[in-house]
Amino acid sequence: METLLNPSKTPNLFIPKTHLFKPYFLHSNFNPQPHSSFNRRPLSITITCKVKTSQGRKNDGKNISKKIVLTDSAPELSNEEIKAKPKGGGKAWGVIKKFPKRVLAILSNLPLAIGEMFTVAGLMALGTAIDQGESPEYYFQKYPEENPIFGFFTWRWVLTLGFDHMFSSPVFLGTLILLGTSLMACTYTTQIPLVKVARRWSFLQSADSIRKQEFSDTLPQASVSDLGVILMGAGYEVFLKGPSLYAFKGLAGRFAPIGVHLAMLLIMAGGTLSATGSFRGSVTVPQGLNFVMGDVLGPTGFLSTPTEAFNTEVHVNKFYMDYYDSGEVSQFHTDLSLFDMNGKEVMRKTLSVNDPLRYGGITIYQTNWSFSALQILKDGEGPFNLAMAPLTINGDKKLFGTFLLVGDTDSSNVKGISMLARDLQSIVLYDKQGKFAGVRRPNSKLPIEIDGTKIVIVDAIGSSGLDLKTDPGVPAVYAGFGALMLTTCISYLSHAQIWALQDGTTVIVGGKTNRAKAEFPDEMNRLLDQVPEIVESSISKKPDNIGG
Amino acid sequence: MIFSTLEHILTHISFSVVSIVITIHFLTLFLLVDEVVGLYDSSEKGMIVTFFCITGLLITRWIYSGHFPLSDLYESLIFLSWGFSLIHMVSYFKFKKRKNNLSAITAPSAIFTQGFATSGLLTKMHQSAILAPALQSQWLMMHVSMMVLGYAALLCGSLLSVALLVITIRKAIKIIGENNNFAFSFGKIQYMNERSNVLLNTYFLSSKNYYRYQLTQQLDRWSYRIISLGFIFLTIGILSGAVWANEAWGSYWNWDPKETWAFITWTIFAIYFHTRTNTNLEGVNSALVASMGFLIIWICYFGVNLLGIGLHSYGSFTLN
């Protein structure tokens, strides 16, 4: 542990932070703080002893700090100091008082947070590698005990740890909760004091301390007020006090990480609300039929409470699909009418994919479709409705089929006409032997003759696959999303600080920045080039482009 | 018909130009003709030509197919190589004065992705396909373009970190190999850990080490900046994807493999930023995390598509 204390003739309290070795396990740190006051005090030294119980802060991170003031100057007030004084009597009370602080300190430990993040990432990766939501037999088969993966991973691991439903398992949720509490603790202990520090501005009073900055330069014939004007033109906020100058830019970049953490907490809270308080349901409704919302929606958690809107009746007026010229489906549409308990129509809208219907907090999405029935005329009689059944084939494409009995219905060997369809626009017909007979479109009304029977396809009745959902957490989550996007963008800004001191006719400039370290020297050089050089023979300044 | 031939021409031009640029870079590397500014200039012009070619290619596809050119794997690969050349352009124009080491990373990345996309592996995907109903949304432009740009920037940044690791490990192996006195090796470890100019002035002993230190420092800073940018894009991409999913499918997070892996990528780079807050772990450790991120991005972008399952199955392909 090194201490670098510079009790010099001028109040000079610069901390070259990089000189201090910060081995990981070290628990205390001796760190003199800059004194941000205006009056020049001879030999006023403030030693701040920080008792850190954990390492890994941002550069100026503060924790509980006790100040030992050596002179009679007024001590710098910080809130932490007052909190550190134990109030009340009794040892037990003191221990209880310290307990939340200890927990807080443990939780805001950075390596713990990093470890938690790694754990979350690893669990998520495992969750994608192991198939989720299958029956136990599947896992018995896939991870057998006779032949364990890596020598130990069997189905017992999967089922006891809940890896078959990883994303709602206690292990995963517990790690997420721990991460959330770490977030809260870290924001409270580290980030908020950081705000206080960053807002304090301090002047550096000695040329040496300025030279020790990351970037430093000397301008031989210049004036510090010219530098101030140039910096102001470049967007810095400049403070000038006598011969010394302090300028900064991009302070928002220091605050934005707090915003990021708060936004994440908001998202987590909203997500928890969604998980415990929403209703979900899905239904496939043939064209022309109704359903009541409340019948279809089921709760997902213990906070779910139904609303008045659940009594609404939904009527599917029409379901139709749009097609490309090549025959592929381009869009699904469902024309819906909503009726309230009294039978009055309250809403009418045509849904499609990416365009849901919103009513009373409930949202209806078009997610699927099915073939309900085929309406045909047989030999001029009818119309008959033949129910279409889904046939299983590989791939995404659907296939539906139905069967029309022809001839003797009592014999054991029944024969008939088969009709298959991939979508609602064309039906393929096969005769009694299973040979291809023809293709008909429902709106053409053209008859087809198969084995002596005349068939006319009147209509193809589809059914709409709808998903219903109500989610109280969505506003919070969306707000969190917006905040996260905004604060992440802002935290890209770099907080640059510049100090300068007028020493006779030379100006000594030093600066540092926290993010854009690569570009900072170039930017500084560009700015310094613009500072005019004072030529000694004349009082008026010649704006030369020659700088330090 | 003109559009498809135009597309073909642009693809081939961009591919050949980038190969020439790569060859020039390798020549300068092996023949050590660093001082030949003319060659460097022509390689920079070559990259500019490539950028315009790929832009033209994307615009042609856009006009021809009627939808934003990001609907399947082939188009997203072209977009990724466009992202690389865009990063190259931006860094070139921002830092015109100094020679930029970044081009050594972006140019090969652009060519490899371009080459893979146009190679025989994915021939059947070259024609523009029609868009499934779920993809017909304005969100497509924002979500996918942000994600792919984010991947491009993060890949660049993690490659820079890998380069930093390679240099540092080679140096470390040399230190262990050399039987130096304690002070010398102590000094090297010092400046690997510290950023202070003062210590540097007192401890480095040879100019070769100084240049190498400069290089690692420059790589470190560049990778930090680029990964920050990529992280912003990735965040916006993931969040806009979640909002789109809510509009289209009713729920903003489905633990779909692709979504989960994008979240894992986001987490790894968040870990990268947090390791950098502590100056102890800066440098090598954060570079290690970023290198892990490189692998994870490829798993996220490519590996999940190989599975072909889940809500993101548009991006899948089969190797035939």
Side-chain angles (χ1 to χ4, degrees):
Chain A
M1 180 169 79
E2 285 177 35
T3 60
L4 278 164
L5 206 55
N6 302 336
S8 52
K9 292 209 179 56
T10 58
N12 164 36
L13 298 157
F14 167 71
I15 317 101
K17 62 184 180 303
T18 53
H19 284 231
L20 292 167
F21 272 98
K22 286 191 186 139
Y24 181 72
F25 42 82
L26 206 59
H27 287 290
S28 66
N29 212 331
F30 214 20
N31 226 333
Q33 258 189 339
H35 211 284
S36 69
S37 71
F38 292 128
N39 311 324
R40 283 184 75 113
R41 253 181 275 272
L43 270 179
S44 132
I45 304 160
T46 312
I47 305 170
T48 313
C49 173
K50 271 199 285 284
V51 180
K52 279 191 191 164
T53 52
S54 54
Q55 271 288 336
R57 293 273 180 275
K58 287 200 174 187
N59 295 335
D60 295 346
K62 303 284 177 269
N63 208 338
I64 312 156
S65 62
K66 296 193 167 94
K67 279 202 156 139
I68 308 165
V69 181
L70 289 186
T71 69
D72 54 0
S73 54
E76 207 106 69
L77 268 184
S78 63
N79 291 343
E80 300 97 68
E81 180 198 35
I82 298 175
K83 268 189 275 193
K85 287 203 203 91
K87 287 200 171 79
K91 262 198 202 157
W93 185 242
V95 167
I96 294 175
K97 270 242 129 174
K98 276 201 214 108
F99 179 68
K101 278 195 208 88
R102 288 238 316 264
V103 169
L104 210 61
I106 293 174
L107 279 180
S108 53
N109 187 12
L110 185 70
L112 177 69
I114 293 182
E116 283 164 7
M117 289 198 266
F118 266 122
T119 317
V120 166
L123 286 177
M124 288 199 281
L126 209 54
T128 54
I130 302 178
D131 296 318
Q132 301 284 300
E134 305 278 347
S135 62
E137 287 76 33
Y138 179 82
Y139 298 109
F140 296 160
Q141 237 189 357
K142 200 138 195 256
Y143 306 101
E145 280 194 296
E146 306 79 48
N147 189 13
I149 303 182
F150 300 130
F152 68 94
F153 196 74
T154 65
W155 58 264
R156 286 191 191 278
W157 282 83
V158 174
L159 290 176
T160 41
L161 288 174
F163 286 171
D164 59 329
H165 56 285
M166 168 71 82
F167 301 109
S168 44
S169 68
V171 174
F172 186 66
L173 292 178
T175 320
L176 278 181
I177 292 174
L178 200 59
L179 192 59
T181 49
S182 278
L183 254 176
M184 288 194 269
C186 191
T187 309
Y188 182 67
T189 55
T190 313
Q191 308 260 354
I192 293 181
L194 199 65
V195 169
K196 293 190 196 124
V197 170
R199 295 186 65 192
R200 263 189 245 152
W201 29 275
S202 57
F203 291 93
L204 293 181
Q205 306 291 3
S206 101
D208 280 332
S209 54
I210 295 183
R211 282 202 200 92
K212 284 175 194 158
Q213 295 293 334
E214 274 172 15
F215 169 84
S216 68
D217 206 351
T218 325
L219 304 173
Q221 305 280 348
S223 134
V224 81
S225 44
D226 287 335
L227 180 63
V229 169
I230 304 274
L231 287 176
M232 267 173 40
Y236 282 78
E237 270 198 54
V238 179
F239 303 95
L240 203 55
K241 188 190 76 161
S244 62
L245 171 142
Y246 175 64
F248 69 86
K249 182 163 88 158
L251 192 61
R254 282 259 184 215
F255 299 157
I258 303 178
V260 171
H261 287 160
L262 289 176
M264 296 211 56
L265 286 172
L266 189 59
I267 294 176
M268 282 176 137
T272 317
L273 193 57
S274 288
T276 52
S278 49
F279 278 88
R280 260 163 228 289
S282 68
V283 64
T284 309
V285 192
Q287 177 177 298
L289 296 188
N290 306 355
F291 67 96
V292 178
M293 285 191 190
D295 290 339
V296 165
L297 289 167
T300 57
F302 58 93
L303 283 178
S304 316
T305 46
T307 64
E308 184 56 38
F310 279 38
N311 288 324
T312 320
E313 191 176 341
V314 182
H315 178 76
V316 178
N317 295 319
K318 190 164 191 296
F319 171 72
Y320 57 100
M321 305 202 282
D322 291 337
Y323 303 93
Y324 288 112
D325 292 334
S326 59
E328 304 270 342
V329 178
S330 90
Q331 189 57 275
F332 306 107
H333 302 274
T334 306
D335 183 0
L336 289 179
S337 290
L338 271 67
F339 297 97
D340 66 359
M341 292 244 284
N342 305 323
K344 191 167 70 94
E345 183 176 13
V346 288
M347 193 170 189
R348 178 156 186 172
K349 186 184 149 104
T350 304
L351 290 190
S352 48
V353 186
N354 277 317
D355 184 17
L357 179 149
R358 292 199 163 88
Y359 175 74
I362 305 177
T363 319
I364 306 183
Y365 301 87
Q366 171 86 59
T367 50
N368 213 346
W369 71 279
S370 183
F371 210 136
S372 166
L374 199 57
Q375 210 175 53
I376 62 164
L377 286 172
K378 180 185 169 192
D379 292 329
E381 296 163 4
F384 299 111
N385 278 358
L386 298 172
M388 288 287 252
L391 304 171
T392 48
I393 53 167
N394 297 327
D396 271 336
K397 297 270 191 288
K398 297 175 194 249
L399 186 64
F400 297 91
T402 190
F403 187 72
L404 178 66
L405 277 177
V406 170
D408 198 358
T409 51
D410 289 329
S411 68
S412 53
N413 209 8
V414 284
K415 293 230 180 267
I417 298 171
S418 318
M419 295 171 233
L420 296 178
R422 282 190 184 278
D423 49 37
L424 297 179
Q425 57 176 350
S426 48
I427 319 288
V428 184
L429 297 111
Y430 298 84
D431 68 2
K432 283 193 280 216
Q433 276 77 37
K435 274 204 326 265
F436 171 75
V439 181
R440 283 292 176 271
R441 287 176 178 259
N443 42 6
S444 68
K445 309 266 195 291
L446 280 174
I448 183 169
E449 182 97 19
I450 304 177
D451 298 332
T453 325
K454 196 172 81 149
I455 309 268
V456 176
I457 309 267
V458 175
D459 198 7
I461 303 172
S463 40
S464 179
L466 300 168
D467 267 13
L468 284 86
K469 186 198 82 159
T470 172
D471 195 341
V474 166
V477 171
Y478 275 16
F481 281 171
L484 187 60
M485 280 198 249
L486 201 63
T487 46
T488 316
C489 286
I490 296 178
S491 69
Y492 187 67
L493 289 175
S494 189
H495 181 222
Q497 297 171 294
I498 297 178
W499 291 272
L501 189 64
Q502 178 101 49
D503 196 356
T505 53
T506 53
V507 172
I508 306 160
V509 186
K512 68 173 182 179
T513 178
N514 67 337
R515 295 208 201 287
K517 293 201 167 118
E519 301 114 25
F520 189 61
D522 287 340
E523 188 197 340
M524 284 304 300
N525 282 326
R526 230 185 26 246
L527 285 174
L528 292 180
D529 280 347
Q530 292 175 25
V531 178
E533 183 184 352
I534 305 171
V535 179
E536 292 168 53
S537 56
S538 59
I539 303 172
S540 63
K541 304 178 182 104
K542 273 200 232 154
D544 272 334
N545 265 0
I546 303 169
Chain B
M1 205 51 217
I2 13 163
F3 280 129
S4 56
T5 42
L6 187 60
E7 218 184 291
H8 260 266
I9 296 172
L10 286 173
T11 321
H12 288 299
I13 292 179
S14 54
F15 188 77
S16 16
V17 167
V18 181
S19 350
I20 296 175
V21 168
I22 289 278
T23 326
I24 293 178
H25 274 287
F26 281 156
L27 278 178
T28 57
L29 192 68
F30 289 125
L31 301 184
L32 300 168
V33 284
D34 269 324
E35 311 309 318
V36 181
V37 182
L39 265 184
Y40 176 70
D41 229 21
S42 57
S43 78
E44 288 301 320
K45 287 200 177 59
M47 284 306 289
I48 296 178
V49 170
T50 314
F51 175 67
F52 283 116
C53 278
I54 304 184
T55 316
L57 176 64
L58 283 171
I59 294 181
T60 318
R61 265 192 101 92
W62 192 350
I63 299 174
Y64 184 53
S65 65
H67 61 79
F68 196 70
L70 264 182
S71 61
D72 58 5
L73 191 66
Y74 173 68
E75 290 179 343
S76 65
L77 276 172
I78 303 278
F79 202 89
L80 188 68
S81 57
W82 182 78
F84 282 128
S85 52
L86 180 69
I87 293 175
H88 181 89
M89 291 278 95
V90 166
S91 58
Y92 175 62
F93 281 117
K94 246 186 132 187
F95 299 96
K96 256 206 148 116
K97 283 182 284 188
R98 292 187 289 146
K99 182 170 175 191
N100 202 2
N101 294 324
L102 201 59
S103 55
I105 300 282
T106 50
S109 315
I111 188 182
F112 283 129
T113 40
Q114 185 82 356
F116 179 67
T118 51
S119 74
L121 279 174
L122 296 175
T123 36
K124 69 177 169 76
M125 309 201 70
H126 285 194
Q127 297 91 324
S128 10
I130 32 185
L131 227 43
L135 291 182
Q136 291 169 16
S137 165
Q138 300 290 47
W139 288 103
L140 173 73
M141 289 204 274
M142 167 124 150
H143 166 59
V144 189
S145 57
M146 282 286 133
M147 290 299 284
V148 177
L149 281 175
Y151 288 153
L154 289 173
L155 283 171
C156 273
S158 21
L159 280 177
L160 286 172
S161 293
V162 170
L164 185 140
L165 273 181
V166 165
I167 296 177
T168 322
I169 288 177
R170 291 188 63 196
K171 194 162 50 171
I173 292 176
K174 258 193 169 179
I175 293 175
I176 296 169
E178 285 170 14
N179 222 353
N180 290 326
N181 56 29
F182 179 72
F184 183 63
S185 48
F186 182 72
K188 283 195 178 175
I189 297 170
Q190 282 273 74
Y191 73 70
M192 268 163 62
N193 279 335
E194 308 283 347
R195 292 269 172 265
S196 155
N197 293 327
V198 175
L199 276 176
L200 183 62
N201 287 331
T202 42
Y203 274 114
F204 73 83
L205 294 177
S206 70
S207 60
K208 190 170 72 146
N209 288 329
Y210 176 67
Y211 282 126
R212 202 182 283 151
Y213 172 70
Q214 283 269 334
L215 182 64
T216 50
Q217 209 188 32
Q218 196 183 25
L219 281 176
D220 186 56
R221 290 173 176 178
W222 269 106
S223 86
Y224 180 57
R225 269 318 242 182
I226 289 189
I227 289 183
S228 315
L229 200 61
F231 190 73
I232 294 175
F233 286 142
L234 188 68
T235 310
I236 297 181
I238 292 179
L239 296 181
S240 56
V243 176
W244 185 15
N246 202 20
E247 298 297 305
W249 298 315
S251 125
Y252 47 79
W253 196 260
N254 294 311
W255 297 112
D256 186 48
K258 188 102 180 187
E259 283 176 353
T260 313
W261 275 99
F263 192 45
I264 294 176
T265 313
W266 190 89
T267 310
I268 292 287
F269 283 106
I271 294 175
Y272 173 80
F273 287 124
H274 283 88
T275 54
R276 287 189 77 93
T277 60
N278 184 350
T279 43
N280 254 352
L281 307 176
E282 225 173 350
V284 177
N285 294 27
S286 56
L288 274 172
V289 180
S291 321
M292 269 196 283
F294 180 70
L295 288 172
I296 290 181
I297 295 179
W298 280 115
I299 298 178
C300 176
Y301 184 50
F302 240 53
V304 176
N305 286 341
L306 281 174
L307 288 177
I309 54 167
L311 300 162
H312 279 93
S313 53
Y314 322 109
S316 68
F317 67 98
T318 50
L319 292 170
N320 50 354

